[in-house]
Amino acid sequence: MNLCKSVRSTKLVPIGTLKSIVLEDKWLIQGDPNHDYSKVDPSGLVILDSRQRRVGKVLDVLGNIRSPYLLVEPLTKDVPNGKLVLEVPQSKHHRKHRR
């Protein structure tokens, strides 16, 4: 039985910094207004800290496009500091055969 999984490449997108802790244990992260969250919905994607460690998972995007916030569920007990990035999986582009 072959248990190999195909490895997808990922793109790291800077999203901002932690602003506050809300709802007792969730994080509110101020998102980068230059990133189009309607084009690439970050819900369910992983947040990495400045050391490239997985620290949270995006639950939802809040606010307007000029000042977006991300509601994040922590994956660790440590509160991240510094710049945070979003790990966006990239789909493989298949070349079409030319005739």
Side-chain angles (χ1 to χ4, degrees), residues 20 40-41 54 68 88 95 99:
S20 65
V40 178
D41 183 17
R54 293 178 171 186
V88 180
R95 288 185 159 194
R99 292 185 179 194

Side-chain angles (χ1 to χ4, degrees), residues 35 37-38 40-46 57-61 70 86:
H35 181 71
Y37 295 103
S38 63
V40 178
D41 183 17
S43 299
L45 298 180
V46 175
K57 184 176 178 181
V58 178
L59 297 175
D60 201 2
V61 179
L70 292 117
L86 184 65

Side-chain angles (χ1 to χ4, degrees), residues 11-26:
K11 178 180 175 184
L12 300 179
V13 177
I15 57 159
T17 56
L18 177 70
K19 285 298 174 187
S20 65
I21 298 174
V22 296
L23 301 172
E24 295 183 21
D25 65 340
K26 305 293 186 272

